[in-house]
Every structure is written in C-alpha cells, then in structure tokens.
Amino acid sequence: MSHDARWFMAVAKHFGMDAANRLNQSVCREIGRVEMKRYMKTLALSPAENLEEYLTLMKAALSLYGSGLAEYEIRALDDESYEVLMKDVLPTKIL
C-alpha cells in the first residue's frame, strides 16, 4: 500500500493527475481480474451462468475485499444489468 501511494504520487507529479488516474484505473481493473480468478479457484467456484449468480459472487467477493471500506447496495435492474449504489465511504482506521 505504501508503494502504491508513492507510485501514484510520482506519476501524478511527472505526468499529471489525469494520467495517474487513468493508469491507476487500468491497473486496478487488471488486479481485479487476477484476484477474482484466484478467489474463484480457491473456493472451487464455477463461472456465473446468469446475472443472479454473478451478483451473488460479486457480493461475496466485495465482502472479502471491500469489507469496511464503504457501504453499498447492489441490485439487479433486469436480467442483463445491475447498479451499484455507494451509500457511504467509511472512515479508515489506522492500526
């Protein structure tokens, strides 16, 4: 985490905040893909076959990876789409 923050600030100083944000989003997407594959492999989970299964998997993963970071609600809009509503970002506790 310490390295990530320093890397982000170095990129922002050198290339600007827009570039740092774009690169950070790209890296986060890739890390998310890798971590979800690891999560599913560890728990011997099959890929979701429909939106309901996908949302169940997503909620379980968020409870592990995002626990204590924010309050959110995930709901299906129809058979092919969903929305995530951020309710509140929780304060970070320093240990």
Side-chain angles (χ1 to χ4, degrees):
M1 296 292 271
S2 180
H3 174 270
D4 291 346
R6 285 176 174 80
W7 176 89
F8 183 87
M9 290 310 299
V11 172
K13 283 175 83 174
H14 191 76
F15 297 105
M17 191 59 80
D18 288 340
N21 281 326
R22 277 193 312 276
L23 291 168
N24 194 49
Q25 288 173 0
S26 176
V27 168
C28 287
R29 282 188 192 98
E30 290 304 315
I31 289 171
R33 287 182 182 107
V34 169
E35 289 301 321
M36 185 55 95
K37 287 178 183 178
R38 289 177 180 159
Y39 177 80
M40 292 177 70
K41 182 179 179 181
T42 299
L43 297 177
L45 299 172
S46 300
E49 294 185 17
N50 56 47
L51 184 61
E52 184 178 345
E53 289 180 9
Y54 173 78
L55 292 179
T56 298
L57 178 62
M58 184 173 163
K59 289 175 186 179
L62 282 172
S63 71
L64 174 65
Y65 293 114
S67 178
L69 298 176
E71 291 180 15
Y72 54 87
E73 178 184 342
I74 301 171
R75 63 180 179 204
L77 299 176
D78 55 40
D79 290 340
E80 297 179 0
S81 58
Y82 66 93
E83 67 182 0
V84 178
L85 303 170
M86 295 298 292
K87 294 181 177 183
D88 194 16
V89 176
L90 302 175
T92 303
K93 295 179 183 176
I94 299 174
L95 300 175

